[in-house]
Amino acid sequence: MRVVLGVGGGIAAYKAALLLRLFTEGGASVRVVPTESALRFVGEPTWAALSGQAVATDVWSDVHEVPHVRIGREADLVVVAPATADLLGRAAHGLADDLLTNVLLTARCPVLLAPAMHTEMWQHPAVVANAALLRERGVHVLEPDSGRLTGADTGPGRLPEPERIHAAALALLRGADGGGAGDGSSAPAATTPVCDLEGRHVVVSAGGTREPLDPVRFLGNASSGRQGAALAARALARGARVTYVRAHTDVPDPAGAHVVPVSTALQLRDAVLTAARGGGGADAVVMAAAVADFRPAAPAETKIKKSDGPHDGPDDGPGLDLRLVRNPDVLAGLVAERRSGGLPAGTVLVGFAAETGDETGSVIEHGRRKARRKGADLLVVNEVGGGRAFGTADNTVVIIGADGTERAVGPAPKERIADAVWDAVAMRVPGSQPVHPRGDL
Ligand code: CTP
């Protein structure tokens, strides 16, 4: 994938170096095209060293290769971060007085602009009109974050974190794949609402907890954490800020998530509650973690020895008795907290239920009962046992809504299951639009 990273002349240019790393670590070839004033903030050697490619700001270098046309034409994606007020103005009005604005005129791929400037500038009618004009033409203009600006002041205008820009860029590309943007037109892809969770904060718990028996042993479970990781990755791709409360998993953490590593159910409970309550709260909490229902009542401080068991007797004779105590039910705790006003009423709560059918009911019957018992907005029910669900790439689920809706999804890769879950969440978060309102899974 060939990415052009345009860098405007703002203090946030330093964050573009991190964005560049995210693209190159993902295997992209990145050509950095800074403006002349961007180089006052971060110098040419930094861009050249990090990208491994030549860096120019004007159209007079390597003229024989016609870079002002070639770079834009060959790009699969153009991302500009930070996009200053000046750059937005020049882009909106088709000016071409440096290499970057030439690239913007010649590119036929998706274009993502990440504005950053002071609040007064971002809210000035001229800038508002320029951003609107660019959007009308199919350019994807991210909303800046709200927060601390260059000085002591705060407000909207802050460059979104590199991870969010990266995720939005990847989502835009995926939209382009599905939207037929290979036909030379950037408009259909860029107007696809691929970032329906943009500006949202979601908490995803993943993996299996471990409850210590002694310093080296634990009670654990077979969760690989794949479904939770896929949920976090897809939420990031759809523009969300993701807190990823990760117990023990077999898979890498999704790039761009805020990772809170935990081990036991109690640690997981504390981390999930803190993330759901803090910093303006969460729009959704998805409990994909396999949380142990019980823990040893008194974990040993030193390693349990064979001699701690019965001294004589056959090898498979009576062993050691363990006493277990109940762990809190984290999901039920979230539901109770929301009811009592400790969490915003609009927080969407999602549980997963790993079920096996038995003489008292089928998988879905157990799921329906659990959905009523747990009181979450959505319960994602899947059948486990016989090699199903745990550690596999695919999954088959039924998403049960507290409103009585049921949607069967799969067999499908866990990423597609994750998207179906976020579709259902997005419908319940006020103000969001589902990206995949389709029943084709
Ligand atoms: N869960 C939780 N806290 C626990 C146990 C489970 O928050 N102590 C969450 C899981 O993350 C999952 C949902 O509850 O989202 C259902 O988990 P599951 O193990 O299927 O249900 P349990 O309530 O433990 O019921 P049971 O094991 O009796 O079927």
Side-chain angles (χ1 to χ4, degrees):
M1 178 175 65
R2 276 165 302 195
V3 176
V4 173
L5 175 60
V7 186
I11 183 71
Y14 76 94
K15 286 191 184 172
L18 303 172
L19 180 60
L20 167 54
R21 288 300 289 264
L22 290 174
F23 279 119
T24 53
E25 280 168 15
S29 152
V30 185
R31 172 83 193 229
V32 183
V33 183
T35 63
E36 190 62 42
S37 43
L39 296 185
R40 287 175 165 251
F41 292 98
V42 180
E44 186 264 344
T46 302
W47 303 118
L50 288 178
S51 68
Q53 300 200 34
V55 173
T57 60
D58 60 38
V59 296
W60 305 114
S61 317
D62 301 317
V63 177
H64 61 288
E65 290 181 356
V66 204
H68 73 290
V69 177
R70 189 180 50 79
I71 296 173
R73 262 194 197 154
E74 289 178 356
D76 298 308
L77 174 73
V78 177
V79 180
V80 181
T84 58
D86 175 68
L87 199 45
L88 285 179
R90 288 191 290 141
H93 295 282
L95 303 186
D97 50 357
D98 62 5
L99 186 57
L100 179 53
T101 44
N102 274 271
V103 167
L104 289 171
L105 287 184
T106 51
R108 291 294 176 270
C109 58
V111 175
L112 176 71
L113 305 183
M117 62 198 77
H118 269 79
T119 306
E120 291 81 355
M121 297 170 86
W122 175 242
Q123 292 175 344
H124 190 283
V127 177
V128 171
N130 287 336
L133 187 56
L134 287 163
R135 282 177 174 144
E136 255 170 52
R137 291 198 193 121
V139 174
H140 198 89
V141 183
L142 280 180
E143 278 302 306
D145 275 354
S146 211
R148 181 88 188 264
L149 301 170
T150 317
D153 43 349
T154 58
R158 200 178 136 90
L159 186 73
E161 290 309 308
E163 290 80 7
R164 186 158 86 79
I165 304 172
H166 183 245
L170 297 187
L172 188 57
L173 272 179
R174 267 188 288 270
D177 288 349
D183 61 3
S185 147
S186 66
T191 51
T192 305
V194 287
C195 290
D196 63 343
L197 296 177
E198 200 177 307
R200 306 289 182 188
H201 174 216
V202 301
V203 180
V204 176
S205 73
T209 61
R210 288 182 182 174
E211 310 300 322
L213 285 162
D214 69 12
V216 293
R217 302 185 183 93
F218 53 83
L219 294 178
N221 59 63
S223 170
S224 66
R226 272 172 176 250
Q227 186 61 73
L231 280 156
R234 292 306 303 147
L236 285 162
R238 291 166 77 146
R241 180 164 67 85
V242 177
T243 302
Y244 183 57
V245 178
R246 190 252 294 129
H248 297 272
T249 68
D250 301 341
V251 288
D253 296 333
H258 171 61
V259 183
V260 185
V262 295
S263 187
T264 65
L266 291 177
Q267 290 169 357
L268 186 138
R269 189 248 341 242
D270 292 349
V272 166
L273 279 176
T274 303
R277 285 183 191 135
D283 294 288
V285 182
V286 179
M287 285 292 300
V291 187
D293 289 326
F294 299 95
R295 66 180 185 277
E301 275 171 24
T302 53
K303 192 177 162 210
I304 299 170
K305 301 272 188 215
K306 248 205 282 299
S307 53
D308 292 339
H311 289 285
D312 340 289
D315 277 356
D316 55 355
L320 197 66
D321 285 336
L322 279 176
R323 209 172 74 78
L324 303 177
V325 291
R326 278 279 287 273
N327 270 327
D329 186 317
V330 183
L331 183 58
L334 288 164
V335 171
E337 181 104 1
R338 183 177 62 178
R339 201 175 298 126
S340 67
L343 289 181
T347 314
V348 179
L349 300 176
V350 184
F352 271 69
E355 298 293 337
T356 52
D358 58 23
E359 63 287 350
T360 65
S362 65
V363 168
I364 188 70
E365 284 162 351
H366 279 300
R368 286 183 191 129
R369 266 178 241 148
K370 191 171 284 184
R372 281 193 292 277
R373 200 170 65 239
K374 290 266 179 182
D377 302 289
L378 295 164
L379 192 74
V380 185
V381 180
N382 64 292
E383 188 170 359
V384 291
R388 276 181 294 266
F390 285 122
T392 58
D394 287 1
N395 205 354
T396 305
V397 304
V398 179
I399 303 173
I400 302 179
D403 49 8
T405 54
E406 285 185 13
R407 182 180 170 197
V409 190
K414 287 183 174 172
E415 287 71 22
R416 293 190 72 190
I417 304 283
D419 264 327
V421 173
W422 291 124
D423 290 346
V425 169
M427 280 192 273
R428 285 160 176 83
V429 174
S432 280
Q433 289 297 318
V435 170
H436 308 286
R438 45 167 213 243
D440 63 346
L441 287 169

